[in-house]
Structures are given as structure tokens and as C-alpha cells.
Amino acid sequence: RARSRDVATVLASLPESQREALSLVILDGYTQAEISLVTGVRLGTVKSRIRLGLDRLRDTLARGGASSALLDEVLAAVKELR
């Protein structure tokens, strides 16, 4: 739970579209296709939002001194989409 709170805190700093896509992936376990259906956004756009948001999330967590375990957890959640 603490890790989810850490990720949620950093997610709050992202642009809305990236935050929504990453929240649906990381916190809710949606696939990219499911996010596309739920949000009504094209799959390619969903993929771009996830990639951009993930890059920002990773950079923000790393700068904030997040543990490598937390970074690995975030990356694993997103890699499962591929």
C-alpha cells in the first residue's frame, strides 16, 4: 500500500491525460486496449500517453530517491502491457 501511495503521489503531478492512462495501468491493471475502450481514445494515443507518463514518472521517482524496488514495480506493471 505504501508503494501505491508513493506512485499515486507522483502520478498527481503528471498532465491529466498521462495520469489517467498510467493510473488505469498501474493502479487498476487495465490493458492498453481496455484503456482505449474506456476513454474513447485511439490505441496509439493511449500508448503515447503511457510512454510519456512513464518517462516522467520514472524520472520523478528517481530524482526523489525512490527505491529501485519501487521503480522496478512501476516498470513491471507497464511491461505487462506489451
Side-chain angles (χ1 to χ4, degrees), residues 5-73:
R5 278 194 304 265
D6 292 343
V7 172
T9 299
V10 176
L11 283 173
S13 69
L14 296 176
E16 173 62 29
S17 61
Q18 294 170 12
R19 179 173 57 248
E20 177 184 43
L22 281 176
S23 293
L24 290 170
V25 170
I26 296 169
L27 303 177
D28 299 322
Y30 281 65
T31 66
Q32 292 175 345
E34 290 169 334
I35 294 169
S36 178
L37 288 172
V38 168
T39 61
V41 175
R42 291 183 175 166
L43 183 59
T45 302
V46 169
K47 290 179 180 183
S48 294
R49 289 176 178 178
I50 290 171
R51 172 54 43 209
L52 291 170
L54 180 60
D55 290 345
R56 283 185 181 201
L57 180 64
R58 183 177 38 230
D59 292 346
T60 301
L61 289 171
R63 278 194 311 266
S67 70
S68 60
L70 177 57
L71 292 170
D72 290 345
E73 184 178 317

